[in-house]
Amino acid sequence: MADGWIILDKPLTLGSTQGVAAVKRNLRARGLGKCKVGHGGTLDPLATGVLPIAVGEATKLCGRMLDAHKAYAFTVAFGAETDTLDLEGAVIGHSTVRPTRAALDAALAAFTGPIAQVPPAYSALKVDGERAYDLARAGHDVVLAARNVTIHALRVLETQGSDAALDSATLEADVSKGTYIRSLARDIALALGTRGHVTMLRRLKAGPFTLDQAISLDKLNDWGQGAALENVILPVEAGLVDIPALDLNPEQAGAVRQGRVLSGLPFPDGLWWARCGGKPVALVMLAGGALRVERGFNL
């Protein structure tokens, strides 16, 4: 059995579900085929980058990973908007306006911090029980309600074209859960008096995981065929490094594993991960010195 994380540097055209299937296939090839496997946040087929895939007990943290902050690099091409807001769709709007670099720099302030954002019609959100993208592909007029998201940081990485007339711009965004980069690109273009769509999208970070920890699909396949590669499966606690750890003695750990409440602990309120001898025991919540189990680990 295996427990932990495989951080895949997802290639173009591979879907998140296909990424999970690739991990399952390679786990079977290594004789580890009885593990639960799940991903920590969908990444579109036309996007690349960090796709956290949880194995075994780490799957208990997938929901937490879905809620995590994420960072992306993306390129928005100015002059045309597509129905999918990326390269996959049909053009639905043109503009001859090309923004200046100064206008782009000035516009980003309005998109930093809490903002309201209308998700793309081609998204996995449900409308009356059906996926929005299924309705859109069937020719229905899909109008989704605006949602509140937070853009923690937004900066220009590079531009194409002259500073007086940009053809495209590549930006980096650090965003909250629920943020659609395609919508962000559309709205930035509209604020600049033009239309736009995403031509490149790469996830740089998902929760505590970065590209530095990611492996290519080729390396994953090599590992499945027996290659002696290190750090293919990261430990369960690699997904917990952004919250504090709480050390328990064996007696306390036994009580937590039984789901009992520990009291009188002199630690601040909030979410912690409890460990004993370096091994994760449970994800726990402290309130008023009392510890309650959120998710227990069988490690």
Side-chain angles (χ1 to χ4, degrees), residues 134-150:
D134 288 332
L135 294 172
R137 287 169 184 156
H140 296 283
D141 186 18
V142 178
V143 180
L144 298 173
R147 53 168 57 188
N148 295 322
V149 299
T150 301

Side-chain angles (χ1 to χ4, degrees), residues 274-291:
R275 64 188 178 188
C276 181
K279 282 191 175 183
V281 175
L283 194 65
V284 300
M285 185 67 70
L286 259 69
L291 178 154

Side-chain angles (χ1 to χ4, degrees), residues 59-92:
T59 57
K60 294 177 178 179
L61 297 172
C62 280
R64 183 173 178 273
M65 199 59 58
L66 294 174
D67 292 342
H69 294 174
K70 298 176 176 67
Y72 298 88
F74 64 101
T75 300
V76 51
F78 299 116
E81 181 179 323
T82 66
D83 54 4
T84 60
L85 302 179
D86 61 16
L87 285 170
E88 191 176 34
V91 175
I92 58 172

Side-chain angles (χ1 to χ4, degrees), residues 61-278:
L61 297 172
C62 280
R64 183 173 178 273
M65 199 59 58
L66 294 174
D67 292 342
H69 294 174
K70 298 176 176 67
Y72 298 88
F74 64 101
T75 300
V76 51
F78 299 116
E81 181 179 323
T82 66
D83 54 4
T84 60
L85 302 179
D86 61 16
L87 285 170
E88 191 176 34
V91 175
I92 58 172
H94 288 278
S95 175
T96 59
V97 173
R98 298 295 181 271
T100 66
R101 173 60 192 264
L104 173 62
D105 289 338
L108 296 189
F111 293 94
T112 305
I115 65 170
Q117 182 186 81
V118 176
Y122 285 80
S123 66
L125 297 176
K126 287 191 175 182
V127 179
D128 296 329
E130 296 192 57
R131 298 291 185 186
Y133 54 65
D134 288 332
L135 294 172
R137 287 169 184 156
H140 296 283
D141 186 18
V142 178
V143 180
L144 298 173
R147 53 168 57 188
N148 295 322
V149 299
T150 301
I151 312 299
H152 300 287
L154 183 62
R155 67 187 183 98
V156 178
L157 296 178
E158 64 179 14
T159 58
Q160 296 77 40
S162 70
D163 283 352
L166 299 178
D167 295 318
S168 63
T170 300
L171 299 93
E172 182 177 332
D174 186 348
V175 303
S176 70
K177 70 171 184 176
T179 302
Y180 283 91
I181 298 297
R182 287 176 290 146
S183 292
L184 181 62
R186 172 200 64 202
D187 295 344
I188 289 172
L190 289 172
L192 293 168
T194 185
R195 310 294 285 272
H197 66 282
V198 169
T199 59
M200 184 280 293
L201 178 60
R202 184 159 176 76
R203 187 189 280 165
L204 308 176
K205 183 178 180 182
F209 298 117
T210 68
L211 283 170
D212 291 339
Q213 298 158 294
I215 63 170
S216 68
L217 183 60
D218 287 341
K219 284 192 175 181
L220 175 66
N221 291 333
D222 289 343
W223 177 77
Q225 295 303 310
L229 300 175
E230 296 182 355
N231 299 323
V232 172
I233 302 182
L234 303 178
V236 171
E237 56 265 31
L240 297 168
V241 296
D242 54 340
I243 60 174
L246 176 63
D247 288 304
L248 303 178
N249 62 41
E251 183 179 353
Q252 290 172 320
V256 167
R257 289 191 177 101
Q258 295 171 10
R260 287 155 52 191
V261 175
L262 299 183
S263 58
L265 297 175
F267 301 106
D269 292 354
L271 189 66
W272 297 68
W273 66 279
R275 64 188 178 188
C276 181

